[in-house]
Amino acid sequence: MDFLWAFLIGGLVCMIGQILIITTKITSARILVTFVLIGVVLQAFELFEPISQFAKAGINVPIIGFGASLAKGAMGAVKSIGLLGAFTGGLEATAGGIAAAVGFAFLFSLIFKSKTK
Amino acid sequence: MNQTVEFRNRPKIIGSYSIVGPKEGAGPFGSYFDYVMKNDLFGEKTYELAERKMFEQAVTGAIESAGLTASQINLMLAGDLLNQIISSSFTARDFSLPYLGIFGACSTMAETLAVGAMMVNGGHFGNILCATGSHFSTAERQFRFPLELGNQRVPTSQWTVTAAGASVLSLEGKGPEITMATFGKVVDFGIVDVNNMGAAMAPAAAETIFTHFNETGRKPTDYDLIVTGDLGKLGAEILVDLLEDKGIKLGPNYSDCGHSYFTREQDTMCGGSGCGASASVLNGYIIKKLKKRELKRVLFVPTGALMSTTASQQGESIPGISHAIVIEAGGK
Amino acid sequence: MKQEKRNEAYNRYVEARIPKTKAWPSLFNSFWVGGLICVIGQGIDMLILYLFPYMSQQTAWAWTLVVLIFLASFLTGIGVYDKIGKFAGGGSIVPITGFSNSISSPAIEFKHEGIIYGTCVKMFTIAGPVIVVGVVSSIVVGIIYWIVGLF
């Protein structure tokens, strides 16, 4: 059941991205930015958790989940350590993802070359 | 006449050479090119080095096919798409040739030939080498995205070809003759979409072709072939429309190098683009057909988009340019 | 003024001439590939929890993201991810794997300009805005949350 919801919701989110690409011709950087913002806003209004409850990976794997973690981290840290949390919480919550992306990119840039299409 | 010049001494293209990448070699013109590389890196470490090596081979090939040596070349006119036209300049350095760098984006082949023809015609230089080229992978990383980025190409986009072409001009020797040149104005109809170069450049081609017919009193049927550079499928269609509005009807003797550069299956959307597209088709296909006298008189009108990534990011529209040269089979 | 009118008319004319591609196949592809990537994420998450039953949900999920990011980065390196992207469009851009691809691809592409000015500087040409916008907006949300909490 988790798989089905993950597939349907995840697919739907990605398809919305594709609709944006086709209709507005925006580049992948703008797509990613848009979806991160959607995640931040969903979390800010505390709408992300209810969706995540049943969509699981379907909403967490899309970059929306990254945005939601940023906002969730900031909000959680504000709750525990006050205003400073607004600055420390976001990156703390997403450090794993960012560090992994940077680390593996660096590693593989040493090994691989880009190939002509 | 004011934009069109006539060359009374009829400078000849006495040597020519074309070299292309593997994908380009698999296209419809494949068998006409002098050399098809087995892979795009051409045994080099970077794509920039590969582009230069390709450029150098085109230069060497053209000089050899003219029956000359590099020391007999009096001037090299060349340009390319990389910032500060490094492929041309570095090649000129390696051959130790007197050199004028010329930037006309993808119209460079016509621009170098037109300028070269004037110098040869005027008797200032004996043998002039004209060359240009482009490489898909260097253009992608300079103008667009990393090769490995997973994005989709839009339907109006074109594929920068990996190709180079070079010609040697002289009054001595045998070969097709350059008889006229029409220098074009920079024309901008306000297209800002960098993925729609054809639409940005078509007005420049229309302007130059219209001026050419107007100033020479000729009509499209006076030519066996009227060929633009890299307008692509969409740009070529627009050009036909624009000229029709001005009262000039292009017939079946009109075609576009970029549009016919690849087959449908090669999935290049609107076709090929880049300096190398018109340069390789001219030096690979058109000159050979002229030599065989299967074509007698050709109007060669490549177009260029005079934009930069900075200007585009600042939202400026894309100016186009186009120069026309008339090449005739010559002889009887 | 006359020129602006001409340009407007030309842009309208070009817009009408642009070949219309069928949207449905690309929407369908983005749907099932995007869905599949999420399913793979779900599978990895469940596998981790199955292998390490005492791990917290949160830690397991962090590991899942690391694995997905690793896979995307590797597929980028061997030249497969861009082919998936060409086929799926949004389907492989929107997931976290697309974020990974957008960091790995320039890192690999610009290695020839050196480790510092090539790999390290260009690594963020596409993903930089994502991190900046994400961090800035999370700060804003945090501050608003703090202000709301005062009352």
Side-chain angles (χ1 to χ4, degrees):
Chain A
M1 207 52 197
D2 282 349
F3 284 116
L4 185 66
W5 278 116
F7 182 74
L8 290 179
I9 303 290
L12 188 69
V13 169
C14 293
M15 198 171 82
I16 294 170
Q18 182 67 9
I19 292 172
L20 278 175
I21 293 173
I22 294 176
T23 52
T24 60
K25 294 184 189 165
I26 62 180
T27 54
S28 51
R30 287 217 165 90
I31 287 285
L32 288 170
V33 165
T34 309
F35 277 84
V36 163
L37 269 179
I38 292 174
V40 171
V41 171
L42 281 180
Q43 176 61 34
F45 291 99
E46 295 184 340
L47 295 168
F48 186 79
E49 281 305 319
I51 303 173
S52 177
Q53 282 297 319
F54 67 92
K56 299 268 167 55
I59 194 82
N60 280 290
V61 168
I63 193 98
I64 291 180
F66 182 77
S69 309
L70 276 164
K72 192 180 170 191
M75 288 158 80
V78 164
K79 211 180 241 170
S80 57
I81 61 169
L83 185 57
L84 182 66
F87 297 92
T88 60
L91 279 178
E92 220 165 64
T94 52
I98 295 175
V102 170
F104 292 132
F106 189 82
L107 172 71
F108 289 130
S109 79
L110 298 177
I111 303 171
F112 296 112
K113 269 184 164 182
S114 62
K115 287 153 215 65
T116 297
K117 300 307 146 204
Chain B
M1 287 196 196
N2 45 28
Q3 276 169 259
T4 305
V5 287
E6 205 178 337
F7 306 117
R8 301 199 186 281
N9 296 327
R10 302 173 86 92
K12 295 170 193 64
I13 300 173
I14 60 166
S16 60
Y17 192 86
S18 56
I19 170 170
V20 300
K23 184 184 174 108
E24 290 69 18
F29 292 112
S31 57
Y32 290 94
F33 298 128
D34 295 291
Y35 188 87
V36 179
M37 308 184 309
K38 284 189 186 59
N39 81 63
D40 270 18
L41 260 179
F42 210 12
E44 295 289 325
K45 225 176 83 197
T46 69
Y47 292 116
E48 283 76 12
L49 288 173
E51 175 172 331
R52 196 187 313 157
K53 187 172 171 190
M54 187 173 79
F55 214 100
E56 287 171 1
Q57 182 159 331
V59 167
T60 314
I63 296 173
E64 273 172 14
S65 92
L68 300 173
T69 59
S71 59
Q72 288 171 284
I73 299 296
N74 305 102
L75 182 68
M76 169 169 163
L77 300 173
D80 57 86
L81 290 178
L82 296 188
N83 289 339
Q84 283 74 41
I85 54 170
I86 50 169
S87 299
S88 312
S89 308
F90 286 30
T91 302
R93 173 195 67 187
D94 295 344
F95 282 83
S96 167
L97 290 172
Y99 162 71
L100 290 180
I102 285 187
F103 184 77
C106 308
S107 72
T108 304
M109 198 67 228
E111 191 175 354
T112 54
L113 284 171
V115 172
M118 286 199 294
M119 293 172 160
V120 168
N121 185 67
H124 303 291
F125 291 96
N127 303 314
I128 290 187
L129 177 87
C130 302
T132 188
S134 55
H135 193 298
F136 172 75
S137 300
T138 60
E140 281 296 301
R141 73 206 297 268
Q142 179 175 308
F143 292 108
R144 292 176 203 100
F145 300 109
L147 293 170
E148 303 298 346
L149 184 69
N151 57 352
Q152 288 177 322
R153 306 179 79 83
V154 299
T156 52
S157 67
Q158 286 168 257
W159 187 277
T160 308
V161 305
T162 301
S167 322
V168 178
L169 292 177
S170 179
L171 292 180
E172 314 294 327
K174 274 172 120 166
E177 299 164 346
I178 300 183
T179 53
M180 279 184 191
T182 302
F183 292 94
K185 293 175 184 165
V186 178
V187 180
D188 190 338
F189 274 26
I191 295 286
V192 288
D193 183 0
V194 290
N195 284 313
N196 197 353
M197 292 294 188
M201 300 187 295
E207 176 79 29
T208 303
I209 293 173
F210 175 75
T211 307
H212 176 81
F213 288 137
N214 206 14
E215 292 185 349
T216 57
R218 287 183 180 168
K219 31 186 210 307
T221 47
D222 290 330
Y223 293 97
D224 301 322
L225 177 66
I226 297 171
V227 61
T228 46
D230 58 354
L231 290 178
K233 183 175 185 298
L234 179 62
E237 287 169 9
I238 293 173
L239 174 66
V240 171
D241 280 7
L242 288 175
L243 280 176
E244 209 165 282
D245 289 347
K246 292 176 180 241
I248 292 173
K249 208 166 156 32
L250 291 178
N253 59 342
Y254 166 68
S255 82
D256 179 76
C257 301
H259 179 26
S260 18
Y261 211 92
F262 295 106
T263 60
R264 255 185 96 80
E265 291 70 40
Q266 284 177 306
D267 200 18
T268 56
M269 302 300 176
C270 267
S273 69
C275 301
S278 56
S280 59
V281 171
L282 177 76
N283 288 290
Y285 176 82
I286 297 171
I287 289 181
K288 282 175 190 148
K289 289 276 172 192
L290 283 163
K291 279 184 177 162
K292 285 189 195 153
R293 303 186 63 79
E294 284 167 29
L295 293 170
K296 300 251 166 54
R297 191 193 266 169
V298 175
L299 187 66
F300 178 64
V301 204
T303 48
L306 303 176
M307 41 79 77
S308 81
T309 43
T310 310
S312 303
Q313 280 167 1
Q314 293 178 353
E316 296 219 34
S317 55
I318 304 163
I321 184 117
S322 173
H323 305 293
I325 55 172
V326 178
I327 313 174
E328 297 183 26
K332 282 138 258 334
Chain C
M1 215 37 228
K2 200 171 148 240
Q3 199 160 336
E4 270 172 35
K5 275 227 173 78
R6 178 200 70 183
N7 291 0
E8 265 173 41
Y10 183 67
N11 269 285
R12 267 201 308 276
Y13 155 79
V14 169
E15 203 52 47
R17 285 232 69 157
I18 288 176
K20 299 281 172 288
T21 46
K22 272 185 248 121
W24 289 112
S26 87
L27 292 185
F28 177 71
N29 291 342
S30 68
F31 179 81
W32 79 259
V33 175
L36 185 66
I37 292 174
C38 294
V39 166
I40 293 170
Q42 187 71 42
I44 294 170
D45 188 48
M46 287 161 108
L47 183 69
I48 290 172
L49 281 172
Y50 174 76
L51 294 175
F52 307 96
Y54 298 108
M55 197 181 265
S56 77
Q57 283 279 349
Q58 214 178 346
T59 314
W61 186 252
W63 270 113
T64 304
L65 288 183
V66 169
V67 172
L68 282 175
I69 287 167
F70 170 83
L71 289 175
S73 195
F74 180 73
L75 289 176
T76 304
I78 60 171
V80 170
Y81 204 88
D82 73 296
K83 292 192 175 68
I84 300 174
K86 196 178 162 201
F87 175 77
S92 58
I93 293 174
V94 175
I96 194 83
T97 50
F99 175 70
S100 174
N101 169 251
S102 75
I103 292 185
S104 297
S105 58
I108 293 167
E109 181 70 50
F110 294 99
K111 64 189 278 192
H112 298 298
E113 278 79 2
I115 288 202
I116 300 296
Y117 290 103
T119 309
C120 299
V121 171
K122 301 279 180 144
M123 196 181 271
F124 298 102
T125 43
I126 299 158
V130 181
I131 296 173
V132 173
V133 169
V135 168
V136 170
S137 57
S138 79
I139 293 172
V140 171
V141 166
I143 292 175
I144 295 173
Y145 190 70
W146 179 74
I147 294 171
V148 171
L150 290 179
F151 303 104

